Amino acid sequence: MSFLSATLSRVKPSPTIAVTNKARELKAAGRDVIGLGAGEPDFDTPQSIKDAAVRAIAEGKTKYTAVDGIPELKQAICEKFKRDNGLDYTPAQVTVNSGGKQTLYNALMATLNPGDEVIIPAPYWVSYPDMVLLAGGTPVAVEASLETSFKLTPEQLEAAITPKTKWFIFNSPSNPTGAGYSRSELKALTDVLLRHPHVWVMTDDMYEHLAYDDFEFATPAQVEPALYDRTLTCNGVSKAYAMTGWRIGYAAGPEALIAAMRKVQSQSTSNPCSVSQYAALEALTGPQDFLAANNEIFVRRRNLVVSMLSEIEGLTCPVPEGAFYVYPSIAGLIGKTTPAGTRITDDEAFATALLEEADVAVVFGAAFGLSPNFRVSYATSDAALKEACSRIQRFCAALR
């Protein structure tokens, strides 16, 4: 009998973290590797947020807090949801967690029973299915292909719902594609959900403020108020506020669900870092002008990457509406061989060869549930992106 839990055998390590670690190892060994795998802004945390953390330390705010967040931060989150999304919540409907990942995990742990199904549009963030599995549920991936701009159709959602469906996980703008659902596209999905009152909605709005061009962000409970009582609206400060390492995520939803999530957290991590909570309070209530300035930089980087990758024969690179990823298809490159003799049998083989032969680290599409693609994070400098895309161009041009 194995010493390790049988549950653990159902999940795999995060591929995105594995790619990032591999790139770091190669860099440490002296290789000139450009890492495009990490979903992390290269911007520094804004100064006012860092100053708030320093003040919290100086004022001795370094003790345990309430299990799922200080009252001031919960109130600020309520005000954020009202201001940005037109959603009314009370502090009792809010939970604060150690990163957005814990928010989702707590909700799944608090609600899933064996046999419960969770619908997850693919491509998906790599952790969704494994968190469902850890919580004892069954992930049901539904492919949203390039032909539908990586967006789930209402017909696909309808077909995926069964009597066992408990949650529908919704992410817009998306990791890994950057695809964003318009209000009308979102309304078409919520119309389906209205017909199935046993299905709850878990939104991952982490990229809310990273929306470009004419795309306007909306969240399900905002578009369809009738879903308010069965929606967990999740967000955090990691991406837009460049606070990935601070580890603060949050959500709002029905009080009974929030209380159940609090119970899970009380017996796992307890409260999020006290200092990080005060930093997040400043993030949500302090100056917001840097959001637009950062987005201008992201749009420039997005356009650079899409332009250069679109020049590659056999590769298709859609223009994303938000986040900081592109998700090119390599359908036209499958079956070719690299100068080193590696046959491109799938997107994992492509990503492996690209790292080993061109020193560019990307994440292969199979990790996100849709192939043959790869994900590029353009949350790095223009110079690094230009050099990386040039290397990808040369790598692909050399395929035979």
Side-chain angles (χ1 to χ4, degrees), residues 7-315:
T7 300
L8 195 62
S9 68
R10 305 176 71 194
V11 303
K12 56 187 181 298
S14 168
T16 52
I17 293 175
V19 166
T20 302
N21 288 342
K22 179 66 174 177
R24 285 175 180 156
E25 289 172 6
L26 291 174
K27 278 186 176 181
R31 295 270 292 273
D32 180 24
V33 173
I34 301 176
L36 303 180
E40 180 174 56
D42 61 323
F43 307 130
D44 193 14
T45 302
Q47 190 61 45
S48 65
I49 298 173
K50 293 192 291 185
D51 290 344
V54 172
R55 282 197 304 275
I57 295 172
E59 293 169 5
K61 294 175 179 176
T62 56
K63 308 296 185 182
Y64 292 133
T65 73
V67 166
D68 63 346
I70 57 175
E72 306 96 305
L73 180 52
K74 286 191 172 188
Q75 183 60 44
I77 291 167
C78 291
E79 292 167 3
K80 171 262 177 289
F81 278 126
K82 181 64 175 177
R83 177 183 70 239
D84 296 342
N85 313 113
L87 293 172
D88 289 306
Y89 292 108
T90 66
Q93 293 177 280
V94 172
T95 178
V96 182
N97 321 106
S98 298
K101 184 178 287 188
Q102 187 184 31
T103 305
L104 306 179
Y105 183 74
N106 283 355
L108 295 169
M109 287 296 294
T111 58
L112 291 183
N113 295 307
D116 286 345
E117 296 177 351
V118 178
I119 295 173
I120 305 172
Y124 45 67
W125 179 43
V126 294
S127 293
Y128 294 149
D130 290 293
M131 284 194 288
V132 171
L133 290 167
L134 273 173
T138 301
V140 177
V142 183
E143 287 192 2
S145 66
L146 181 62
E147 288 66 37
T148 60
S149 301
F150 302 124
K151 299 176 193 178
L152 195 70
T153 67
E155 293 78 15
Q156 287 178 299
L157 177 58
E158 183 78 59
I161 294 174
T162 75
K164 295 181 179 180
T165 305
K166 181 161 279 187
W167 285 102
F168 167 52
I169 295 182
F170 179 78
N171 176 216
S172 169
S174 159
N175 175 7
T177 67
Y181 288 73
S182 67
R183 268 181 183 266
S184 60
E185 290 168 334
L186 187 46
K187 184 63 170 65
L189 295 179
T190 59
D191 285 348
V192 172
L193 294 165
L194 286 176
R195 295 195 289 272
H196 300 276
H198 67 291
V199 180
W200 284 54
V201 187
M202 186 182 300
T203 78
D204 181 350
D205 297 345
M206 192 63 74
Y207 297 93
E208 170 184 7
H209 293 299
L210 302 175
Y212 313 132
D213 305 328
D214 297 327
F215 175 70
E216 294 184 5
F217 172 84
T219 195
Q222 174 185 16
V223 170
E224 182 45 78
L227 291 176
Y228 175 89
D229 289 332
R230 52 187 169 108
T231 298
L232 182 69
T233 303
C234 308
N235 212 314
V237 296
S238 293
K239 310 298 183 179
Y241 296 92
M243 294 176 66
T244 50
W246 298 80
R247 308 310 301 137
I248 295 291
Y250 58 82
E255 276 192 51
L257 173 59
I258 297 300
M261 293 171 64
R262 183 183 308 121
K263 184 185 292 187
V264 172
Q265 187 155 309
S266 73
Q267 297 295 0
S268 55
T269 62
S270 196
N271 67 272
C273 171
S274 61
V275 174
S276 293
Q277 290 187 65
Y278 286 100
L281 175 62
E282 171 64 22
L284 295 179
T285 61
Q288 307 289 304
D289 54 312
F290 61 87
L291 295 174
N294 288 353
N295 277 10
E296 287 184 12
I297 296 171
F298 278 136
V299 168
R300 185 181 72 234
R301 293 173 175 179
R302 178 202 65 178
N303 294 343
L304 168 67
V305 171
V306 170
S307 174
M308 292 188 71
L309 295 184
S310 294
E311 294 175 4
I312 299 172
E313 186 177 350
L315 190 151

